[in-house]
Amino acid sequence: PESAEYKLLIKQIEIAEQKIKDKESLITYQKNAITQANKIILFVSLFAVLAVGAAGLIFFFFKQKKRHASLLKEKNKNILKINTKMQSSIRYASLIQSSFLQDKNKLKELFSDSFIFNLPKDILSGDFYWFAHKNNHKIIVVADCTGHGVPGAMLTVLGHNVLEDSINVQGE
């Protein structure tokens, strides 16, 4: 134990043990670095997968929106076409209905201080007026048939025809 060789061996053992400790520290440091790198790789991979998934969902939703917008545009086009036809029919029915209403000037001849104010809620209405002069009797009718639009207009035509038939044809 007191010899120089023994002390040299002890010194070499201590140096070797220190090198082993240094190597173990280096290995531990490298293991920690590898663990950190693996965590970073895992998080980056998860982020990339989620980003690709989100991009896929956005693309899918964009395609769906585009398809629905196209369908909606087609349906709106059909609705506009139907609405145009229906409005045209209603305007024509309004012309027919107004042709049944008598001339306002003839009412002035019958009743000098008279006027007519006819303002339908819609294009067609269930309101109408009718007047006649029969057997020295002046007759005026203001009627409000149930309904608006086409049903009300149909009732006005029916009411007008009943009055014409009853008073002018049958003389009642």
Side-chain angles (χ1 to χ4, degrees):
E2 303 277 332
S3 72
E5 286 179 11
Y6 182 78
K7 287 183 181 178
L8 182 64
L9 281 174
I10 294 284
K11 189 75 167 161
Q12 287 176 346
I13 291 172
E14 287 176 357
I15 290 172
E17 285 177 348
Q18 186 60 40
K19 284 183 180 178
I20 290 172
K21 284 181 185 178
D22 289 345
K23 297 281 183 183
E24 286 175 349
S25 294
L26 183 62
I27 289 171
T28 303
Y29 174 77
Q30 287 176 342
K31 282 183 180 178
N32 287 340
I34 289 171
T35 303
Q36 288 292 356
N38 285 342
K39 285 180 183 178
I40 290 172
I41 289 171
L42 178 67
F43 287 131
V44 168
S45 299
L46 284 175
F47 178 76
V49 167
L50 288 175
V52 167
L57 278 174
I58 288 170
F59 180 74
F60 173 75
F61 288 138
F62 178 74
K63 283 288 199 184
Q64 287 289 80
K65 180 185 172 202
K66 195 172 181 181
R67 186 174 63 86
H68 288 300
S70 174
L71 288 172
L72 187 61
K73 187 176 181 181
E74 186 65 31
K75 287 183 180 184
N76 281 343
K77 192 182 206 181
N78 290 339
I79 288 171
L80 183 63
K81 190 185 300 182
I82 290 168
N83 189 39
T84 302
K85 286 181 182 179
M86 193 167 55
Q87 287 289 333
S88 176
S89 294
I90 289 173
R91 279 192 296 277
Y92 188 67
S94 174
L95 286 172
I96 293 170
Q97 183 185 34
S98 63
S99 72
F100 276 91
L101 299 176
Q102 294 164 306
D103 185 22
K104 296 175 184 180
N105 293 327
K106 289 185 181 178
L107 181 65
K108 285 278 187 195
E109 292 173 10
L110 223 65
F111 300 99
S112 60
D113 289 336
S114 64
F115 68 93
I116 295 175
F117 180 75
N118 185 20
L119 186 64
K121 176 182 171 268
D122 298 315
I123 297 171
L124 293 172
S125 75
D127 305 334
F128 75 99
Y129 58 90
W130 185 89
F131 51 88
H133 187 239
K134 188 75 171 177
N135 299 333
N136 291 328
H137 293 288
K138 294 178 181 179
I139 304 165
I140 187 163
V141 175
V142 177
D144 180 9
C145 297
T146 303
H148 297 281
V150 175
M154 294 302 292
L155 286 173
T156 63
V157 170
L158 184 65
H160 181 272
N161 288 340
V162 166
L163 287 168
E164 279 289 324
D165 186 55
S166 297
I167 294 173
N168 289 334
V169 176
Q170 296 178 13
E172 295 180 12

